[in-house]
Every structure is written in C-alpha cells, then in structure tokens.
C-alpha cells in the first residue's frame, strides 16, 4: 500500500506553547510564521512511510496561487529553507511519521489549510487540517521582530494596560482590557480583514499582501472606524449617546469586537479616539504585531496642512468656533513596531497608526504607518501621513482676537504649546513612560526650530504657510496675566482660582478684565460659556496684584455630564487703548473617588471577593447609578449592579465574588456612572496564583 494518512496529530498544546499562542487556545493550531511546528501523520495499516514520495500543500485565501505566495507545494526534505515552506522528518515508524514544518518568515498571515498528495503520478490530495498563521516578533527574520523579551511581553502578550487621558498638567491613567487572547478574538480579527474593501475588491491580492505589516496596519486603521466601510466603531463627539454606549463607559476591547461580529459587522456605537486606539491595539497585538497606545496632550488637528493652528476669541473672552483647526486636550493613537523596506533606510521601528477618522489618506479614513523617526526629523515627504502627525505634535499656535466688527487681530503666537507629555504605559510596570523625546527635539531649541523649518520646506502645500509668519509685534508696555488654581477642583465643589496680574510698565494701568468659563470637550471644542465675570482694576507702575475668583458649582455642574474639563479664559483691556492681553487655562475637574479592595488570596479557579466603595461628595443626590465590574481572566461576563440613588455624603459599599480563569497578573476595573457625571473608574492589579 502507498503512503496513506488515517489521521493527523497537530500537537495543539505543545505547538501553541512554543509559538506563544497557548493563551488563546489549546484546542486549535495557531502558529507564528518563520518558526517550526510539529505534526504527526498516523498511517493506515500496511501503508509505507515513504515520505520522499509525497508533498505537502499549504494554502490561504479564496484563490491561492504560488505566484501570489498564498499557495506553497513542498516536499519533505532536509533543513528548513528560509524563504520558503519546508518540512523534515523528525521520527518515523511503520505506523506514523512526525514532521517538522516551517513557514517562511514573510508568509501571509491568515487561515491556512494543510494537504498532502503524491509527488508523482496522478495527484491524490488529502486534507490534513487547518491552522492560523500570525506575525512573529520572536523571529529575527520577521519584519515585526522585536529583540527585547520584556518589550515582547508588554507589547504583544500583555492583555491589559492603560490609556492616558486628562490634560497635560493632570494626567489620568484609564485602565483598559485589551483581551487579545480571548478565544474568539483571533477569528474576529481575521473576519475584520475579510470584510475590508481591499479584500472585497481583490481577495487574492489582499491575501497576498497580508505578508506585509505596513499593509495590514493600514487596513486595520481603516477598519476600526466605520467611515466608508463595514468597520467596527461609529464615532460621536456630541452630548447625546442614546442608542449606544457612551465612549467613556467602555473598559475593554472584547465587548466591542464581539458586539461588532455578532451583529453582522455593523458598527458599534460609540467611539472616540482612545476607544478607537485601544481596539486597534487589541487587533494588532492579536495578529502578532507589537503595538502600544500613545497619548499626545495638547494635540493639534491641522485641517489645512499649513502646520499652524488658529484660535479665535471675542473681545469678551469667549472662544469662537471660526476655524476647523483645533487643539485637543489629548489625542490617542497607536504605535506598531515593524521594518519599512518601502522607505529609504533609517525609518524602521515604531510607526504611528491612527484609526480615529479625522482626515482621509489616499481617499480612505485611515492614518499611517508614519515612522516616528520621520516625525522627529521633520521628514514630511515620507509616507504615510507624516505631515498630519507632525502637526499633531509640533504645529505652531496662533491666537486671534475678533472685534465686534468682525476684524481679526493676531494677539499671540506660540511655538511650544502643541504636543506635550506624549505618554505610553511603561514596560513591565503600571507607570507612565514619557516618549516626547522620540517625537520632537526640546521645545524652543535651535534643533527643534530647524526641524520645523525643514518640515515646512518638505511639505508640498499650496500658498505660503502662515506658520513662518513673524510673531505679532509686542504691545506698548507689558501686562502679564496668568491663572492659578487655589486647589484641584472636585466635581460638586466651586472652582476657586486667582488671576495673577503683573504690570511691567513705568505707569499705572486701568484694566477692564473679563473672565469666562466654558466646558471643554476633549477634542478641543468648547461649549457655550457657563459663567462670566467682568471687573475693572487699577494696577500701579511695575506693580502686581492677585484677583480671587470663583466659578460656582451651580454654574458649571450641568456641563460636566459629558465633560470633565473647564476652560478658563481671561482678557484684560487697557483703558484708553486697543491693547488686550489674554491668558487661558484648561482645568481638569476631578470626580469623587471610587476604590477597589481584594479580600482573600486570588487562586486559579477558586473564589475570592472584591469590595468596591464610593462616596458621594456632592451636595446633591445621585440618581440612576450603575456600578460595572470587569476584568479579563477574572470575570467571564461583566457585572452590572444598578443602584437607585446615593444621597449627599453617603457611602456605597458592594462586595462581589469572583472566580479567576487565567493565572498571572490581571486587572480588575470598576466603573461608576450616574445622572450628574460619567464613568468614574478605578482599577486593582490582581496576582492570580496557579494551583499546584
């Protein structure tokens, strides 16, 4: 009898462990490219184990072909060949043959079938089984190879982390469950590629190009948003989130991805930048590409590609919505690690990818990959989308005052206010790492200004960029204004602050000072003023003074449901003069504290309890309260506990039993929502011990 296979043992557990995929499953074969795996072919009785007379076939995609690299036919031979599929005998007996099979390090990722057929004569093909092939950051020949094991553990294997939010002066770490190794997530990620416009237009070419992480990253960037395709998330930046989930409510990616898949690839409502970025981080890590979320504080959105952000204010201090440019309090994207053979040398490493639908790139709402090195050096002629990201971190800001007749006067120019405290989670620690130095040279340095000029010269834009305009002429004499907080405000309390005014003139000045408070969305768009104060003061020659002011909670509280930042603007106008002086401060209003305590020692598959406490520090009763608890490996499905009301100064304590299903370091997240503010979060790192 000729070589005939009765069954195939894919050694799921051993192979997946060796390929760092056993966290996903031990019931199916999930491999990483460029690395050998073992299969055992069990033979029919009487079959001859003459493996030199058979060949294996590996195929992916709907129309596999050898020309496109989606089909490989290879014989069992000697050592693996680096650039092609290969197989070698490990053990052989009369009843079985064990093979070591190796995929090339540049193979397309995706679902594969493995078949066997006779090498000569009439081909009789038999199916052996299926497997999934992913990128391999452990393989030196793979274009996503990352040399440091601690970084691989953080940027590929870690299922939880943080997304940084707030303001540049008050940075908050928001916990997030990425959950890339939940059992169904790898299939959802591959489904995402299958329903993309690229695949629908040309499936064969799409599957062939999945060997390239640059291509895959660009497809995923487009598919995480639903603008123009069947993508995952629908964005919304308003105040009404009926019919969906407020972006601040989400605590992880898994629920979003499952909802998208179960609903027939219809978009999930709603996302904003940190949700888009965190979901993309999950998808990229799942596919094997090292990825981390990045938060850029004071992030510019330059709509006209001139590297300048224009802001307009009325003479009474209200910010006006006259420009589509904006500076977001923070914006979140991802960096993914890969080589860039499509570019000149020097641009390998971290690449910016941004799935938030802001501007189109080559006709599609996606962004990147943009090499971080190109952004640092002002190489705005390098693809993809370097000019847009460069502006986000390094645009110049120009402030204009608009008169009652509509006239505009440039009142301020600043080269240092955009792009600060660029943040990501530190490797192996629940701490923030500042990566600003990789995006820009020190603000105000000659090198930074030289790079800015280089970026402008490289940028192919129409007209003369205003970013090279000279700063406005200095006012006759100098009045300096600044806003200082008395203390960090907490929601429910009045915001107390003072204006510090310095007169550097040789004569006294009479000043009419208008101060305005506006709730500020995180994307830099202000609400209508909620408080205004006007007063006149006299300040002596070379003198200084402090003016104490207070924004009552009764004025700003109603604006805090969908926001937690108040923009304070003060404009001082000199009596008998057209000179005006302005200062602006974004104030983060802290929410009441939520806390988590773990009772007992968490052990795999054994119960322990978590205690969540919350105190209402407001003078009002909180209504329609909801406490949500989630955590990959700690809770199978999230707990939701309705709480009807919480009175002023009342404490709520809830104890919940938990049974961990995954060992190691896990993150437990609690979310408290009510009618007066959204989604206060707390987290607790839980070390789950194995049972021995």
């Amino acid at each position: 009898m000729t070589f005939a296979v009765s069954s195939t043992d894919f050694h799921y557990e051993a192979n997946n462990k060796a390929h760092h995929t056993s966290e996903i499953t031990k019931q199916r074969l999930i491999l990483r490219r460029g690395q050998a795996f073992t299969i055992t072919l069990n033979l029919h009785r009487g079959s001859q184990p003459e493996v030199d007379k058979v060949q294996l076939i590996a195929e992916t995609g709907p129309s596999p072909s050898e020309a496109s690299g989606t089909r490989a036919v290879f014989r069992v031979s000697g050592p693996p060949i680096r650039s092609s599929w290969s197989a070698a005998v490990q053990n052989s007996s009369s009843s079985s043959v064990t093979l070591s099979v190796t995929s090339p390090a540049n193979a397309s990722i995706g679902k594969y079938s493995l078949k066997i057929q006779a090498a000569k004569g009439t081909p009789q093909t038999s199916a052996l089984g299926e497997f999934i092939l992913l990128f391999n950051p452990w393989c030196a020949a793979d274009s996503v190879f990352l040399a440091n094991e601690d970084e691989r553990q953080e940027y590929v294997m870690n299922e939880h982390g943080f997304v940084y939010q707030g303001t540049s002066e008050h940075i908050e770490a928001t916990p997030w469950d990425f959950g890339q190794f939940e059992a169904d997530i790898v299939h959802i990620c591959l489904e995402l590629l299958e329903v993309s416009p690229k695949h629908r237009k040309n499936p064969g070419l799409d599957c062939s190009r999945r060997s390239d992480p640059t291509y895959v990253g660009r497809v995923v960037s487009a598919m995480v948003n639903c603008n123009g395709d069947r993508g995952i998330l629908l964005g919304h930046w308003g105040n009404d989130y009926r019919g969906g989930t407020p972006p601040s409510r989400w605590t992880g990616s898994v629920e979003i991805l499952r909802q998208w898949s179960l609903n027939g690839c219809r978009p999930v409502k709603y996302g904003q930048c940190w949700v888009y970025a965190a979901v993309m981080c999950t998808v990229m890590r799942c596919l094997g590409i090292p990825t981390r979320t990045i938060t850029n504080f004071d992030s510019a959105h330059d709509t006209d590609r001139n590297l300048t952000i224009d802001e307009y204010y009325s003479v009474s201090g209200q910010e006006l919505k006259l420009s589509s440019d904006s500076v977001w309090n923070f914006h979140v994207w991802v960096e993914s690690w890969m080589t860039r053979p499509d570019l000149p040398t020097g641009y390998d490493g971290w690449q910016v990818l941004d799935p938030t639908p802001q501007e189109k790139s080559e006709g599609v709402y996606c962004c990147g990959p943009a090499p971080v090195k190109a952004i640092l050096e002002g190489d705005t002629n390098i693809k993809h989308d370097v000019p847009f990201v460069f502006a986000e971190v390094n645009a110049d800001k120009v402030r204009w005052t608009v008169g009652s007749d509509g006239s505009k006067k440039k009142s301020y120019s600043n080269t240092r206010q955009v792009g600060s405290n660029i943040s990501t989670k530190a490797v192996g620690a629940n701490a923030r790492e500042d990566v600003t130095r990789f995006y820009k040279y020190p603000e105000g340095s000659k090198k930074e200004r030289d790079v800015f000029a280089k970026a402008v010269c490289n940028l192919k834009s129409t007209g003369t960029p205003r970013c090279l305009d000279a700063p406005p002429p200095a006012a006759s004499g100098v009045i300096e204004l600044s806003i200082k907080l008395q203390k960090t405000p907490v929601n429910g309390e009045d915001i107390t602050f003072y204006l510090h005014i310095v007169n550097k003139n040789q004569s006294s000045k009479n000043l009419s000072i208008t101060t305005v408070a506006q709730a500020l969305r995180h994307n830099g768009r202000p609400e209508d003023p909620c408080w205004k104060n006007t007063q006149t003061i006299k300040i002596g020659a070379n003198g200084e003074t402090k003016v104490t002011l207070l924004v009552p909670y009764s004025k700003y509280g109603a604006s805090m449901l969908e926001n937690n930042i108040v923009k304070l603007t003060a404009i001082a106008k000199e009596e008998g003069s057209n000179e005006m002086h302005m200062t602006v401060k974004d104030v983060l209003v802290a929410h009441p504290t939520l806390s988590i305590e773990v009772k007992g020692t968490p052990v795999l598959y054994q119960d322990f309890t978590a205690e969540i406490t919350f105190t209402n520090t407001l003078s009002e009763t909180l209504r329609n309260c909801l406490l949500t608890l989630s955590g990959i490996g700690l809770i199978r499905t999230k707990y939701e506990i309705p709480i009807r009301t919480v009175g002023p100064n009342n404490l709520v304590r809830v104890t919940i039993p938990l049974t961990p299903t995954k060992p190691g370091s896990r993150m437990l997240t609690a979310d408290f929502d009510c009618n007066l503010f959204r989604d206060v979060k707390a987290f607790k790192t839980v070390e789950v011990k194995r049972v021995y």
Side-chain angles (χ1 to χ4, degrees):
M1 180 184 289
T2 59
F3 191 95
V5 178
S6 61
S7 64
T8 305
D9 183 352
F10 279 100
H11 302 285
Y12 297 135
E13 186 169 353
N15 280 324
N16 288 5
K17 182 178 180 180
H19 286 249
H20 308 278
T21 61
S22 58
E23 284 279 335
I24 302 174
T25 182
K26 297 176 183 177
Q27 307 302 318
R28 298 183 303 277
L29 191 59
I30 302 179
L31 306 169
R32 298 190 186 276
R33 63 186 192 176
Q35 183 174 338
F37 62 97
T38 300
I39 61 172
T40 296
L41 307 178
N42 298 310
L43 308 179
H44 283 290
R45 182 175 297 179
S47 176
Q48 299 296 318
E50 297 173 325
V51 293
D52 59 326
K53 296 182 179 180
V54 297
Q55 55 193 10
L56 299 177
I57 304 170
E59 296 178 328
T60 185
S63 52
S65 72
E66 292 180 72
S68 65
T70 54
R71 184 176 192 265
V73 181
F74 52 103
R75 299 183 67 167
V76 178
S77 54
I81 302 171
R82 180 174 177 177
S83 59
S84 62
W85 290 80
S86 59
V89 176
Q90 282 189 331
N91 293 294
S92 179
S93 70
S94 60
S95 60
S96 67
V97 176
T98 298
L99 303 176
S100 175
V101 182
T102 304
S103 63
N106 62 348
S108 292
I109 64 161
K111 296 178 183 178
Y112 276 79
S113 65
L114 189 63
K115 304 173 184 178
I116 192 169
Q117 71 178 18
K120 296 181 178 180
T122 303
Q124 295 182 348
T125 302
S126 300
L128 299 178
E130 297 180 340
F131 60 91
I132 290 173
L133 192 65
L134 304 175
F135 291 104
N136 192 352
W138 284 266
C139 174
D142 197 307
S143 51
V144 302
F145 172 65
L146 188 60
N148 185 285
E149 176 62 19
D150 290 340
E151 292 182 349
R152 290 193 292 254
Q153 290 299 315
E154 183 66 55
Y155 302 136
V156 181
M157 302 298 291
N158 198 348
E159 288 194 90
H160 55 78
F162 301 105
V163 179
Y164 292 94
Q165 297 176 280
T167 70
S168 57
E169 294 182 358
H170 298 280
I171 297 174
E172 295 183 327
T174 300
W176 193 272
D177 273 326
F178 297 110
Q180 67 269 26
F181 296 138
E182 290 293 277
D184 55 342
I185 295 302
V186 67
H187 298 284
I188 295 174
C189 292
L190 293 177
E191 181 182 22
L192 184 71
L193 301 180
E194 297 293 310
V195 300
S196 73
K198 295 281 191 183
H199 186 80
R200 292 168 62 191
K201 181 178 179 180
N202 191 330
L205 179 61
D206 173 67
C207 290
S208 176
R209 296 191 67 186
R210 290 183 193 173
S211 61
D212 179 9
T214 299
Y215 173 80
V216 171
R218 199 157 168 81
V219 170
V220 173
S221 172
M223 288 300 296
V224 170
N225 70 73
C226 68
N227 295 48
D229 52 39
R230 298 173 65 190
I232 297 168
L233 279 160
L234 176 64
H236 186 52
W237 283 265
N239 290 329
D240 186 356
Y241 296 104
R242 285 176 295 183
T245 300
S248 57
R249 183 73 47 81
W250 301 113
T251 58
S253 305
V254 172
E255 182 181 2
I256 295 170
L257 289 165
R258 285 174 175 165
Q259 186 175 324
W260 172 78
S261 181
L262 289 172
N263 289 338
C265 304
R266 288 192 292 271
V268 177
K269 302 175 182 178
Y270 293 102
Q272 290 182 9
C273 68
W274 69 94
V275 185
Y276 285 114
V279 170
M280 183 165 184
C281 186
T282 294
V283 174
M284 297 294 274
R285 287 185 183 182
C286 181
L287 297 178
I289 302 175
T291 301
R292 60 189 187 182
T293 61
I294 298 289
T295 300
N296 178 39
F297 290 94
D298 304 315
S299 185
H301 182 177
D302 178 23
T303 58
D304 49 13
R305 290 172 56 89
N306 67 353
L307 304 186
T308 298
I309 304 301
D310 297 298
E311 294 181 345
Y312 298 90
Y313 289 81
S314 70
V315 292
S316 63
Q318 178 181 347
E319 185 176 357
L320 306 173
K321 303 169 186 177
L322 299 182
S323 172
S324 54
D325 287 352
S326 59
V327 176
W328 298 26
N329 293 98
F330 66 90
H331 181 56
V332 187
W333 56 71
V334 302
E335 287 178 359
S336 293
W337 182 271
M338 63 189 72
T339 61
R340 291 297 301 273
D342 57 319
L343 299 178
T345 58
Y347 297 109
D348 295 344
W350 290 115
Q351 313 285 320
V352 170
L353 287 151
D354 190 349
T356 301
Q358 297 180 89
E359 302 291 332
K360 286 186 176 181
S361 173
E362 298 177 355
V364 178
Y365 278 105
C366 67
C367 180
V372 172
K373 182 67 172 178
I375 299 161
L376 175 69
E377 299 297 342
D379 295 332
T380 48
N381 56 325
I382 293 295
K383 63 181 184 181
H384 297 275
D385 308 306
V386 172
F388 186 78
V389 184
F390 182 88
E392 287 182 301
V393 302
N394 216 11
D396 286 353
K397 183 190 285 190
V398 176
R399 191 177 294 158
W400 304 79
T401 303
V402 181
S404 56
D405 60 354
S407 61
K408 300 179 179 69
K409 179 182 179 181
K410 185 185 289 187
S411 60
Y412 175 84
S413 179
N414 192 298
T415 65
R416 303 188 181 200
Q417 285 192 345
V418 166
S420 60
N421 296 336
I422 304 175
S423 303
T424 192
K425 180 185 176 297
V427 173
N430 289 340
R432 183 182 72 89
E433 179 185 355
D434 192 298
V435 294
T436 308
R437 66 191 183 280
F438 299 117
Y439 280 85
K440 59 200 298 188
Y441 290 98
E443 287 286 11
S445 66
K446 183 178 183 303
K447 181 66 173 178
E448 185 266 337
R449 288 289 86 192
D450 288 346
V451 165
F452 188 90
K454 175 185 176 185
V456 173
C457 291
N458 285 334
L459 191 59
K460 296 179 179 178
S461 60
T462 59
T464 302
R466 289 170 291 164
C467 48
L468 294 184
D469 288 354
S476 55
V478 177
I479 298 290
E480 292 182 354
L481 288 180
S482 60
I483 294 173
K484 305 292 184 182
L485 291 174
Q486 302 279 33
K487 63 173 184 176
T488 300
V490 176
N491 198 349
E493 301 176 352
D494 300 336
I495 300 174
T496 56
F497 65 100
Y498 63 86
L499 287 175
H500 185 210
I501 309 166
V502 179
N503 179 15
K504 294 187 175 182
N505 293 275
Q506 299 301 315
S507 59
S508 61
K509 294 287 183 180
N510 291 321
L511 302 175
S512 175
I513 302 175
T514 300
T515 310
V516 171
Q518 297 171 271
L520 192 68
R521 299 177 191 172
H522 96 273
N523 64 355
R525 297 297 182 185
E527 304 282 0
D528 292 333
C530 59
W531 173 86
K532 182 178 179 180
N533 177 79
T534 301
Q535 62 189 117
T536 301
I537 69 164
K538 182 175 182 178
I539 183 170
N542 297 311
E544 63 179 288
T545 188
K546 294 181 181 179
V547 178
T548 301
L549 295 168
L550 178 148
V551 181
Y553 170 69
S554 60
K555 294 293 185 182
Y556 78 82
S559 302
M560 289 294 101
L561 180 59
E562 302 297 346
N563 310 282
N564 66 341
I565 296 172
V566 173
K567 186 184 194 74
L568 298 175
T569 304
I571 289 184
K573 186 174 182 181
E574 297 181 22
E575 186 179 87
S577 168
N578 290 325
E579 297 297 341
M580 289 186 294
H581 313 274
M582 179 187 296
T583 186
V584 175
K585 188 174 185 67
D586 295 339
V587 178
L588 182 71
V589 179
H591 288 314
T593 302
L594 183 70
S595 63
I596 305 175
E597 291 297 329
V598 170
K599 306 292 183 180
T601 301
V603 178
L604 191 64
Y605 304 121
Q606 296 182 16
D607 292 347
F608 72 99
T609 59
E611 182 180 86
I612 299 93
T613 57
F614 174 83
T615 301
N616 176 17
T617 58
L618 277 66
S619 59
E620 300 181 55
T621 296
L622 306 181
R623 304 184 186 281
N624 303 322
C625 306
L626 180 67
L627 179 64
T628 305
L629 203 64
S630 59
I632 296 295
L634 298 173
I635 301 173
R636 291 189 183 276
T637 57
K638 66 181 180 182
Y639 282 102
E640 289 189 342
I641 304 160
I643 302 169
R644 182 173 297 177
T645 60
V646 181
N649 300 311
N650 281 10
L651 181 144
V652 174
R653 180 179 285 111
V654 177
T655 301
I656 299 176
L658 303 172
T659 307
T661 56
K662 290 185 177 183
S665 182
R666 300 291 158 188
M667 182 180 289
L668 184 63
T669 300
D671 178 284
F672 183 88
D673 186 69
C674 66
N675 65 317
L676 294 183
F677 49 80
R678 292 282 190 205
D679 304 303
V680 179
K681 288 183 170 59
F683 72 92
K684 185 78 173 179
T685 300
V686 179
E687 298 294 335
V688 179
K689 297 182 178 180
R690 294 181 181 272
V691 180
Y692 294 102

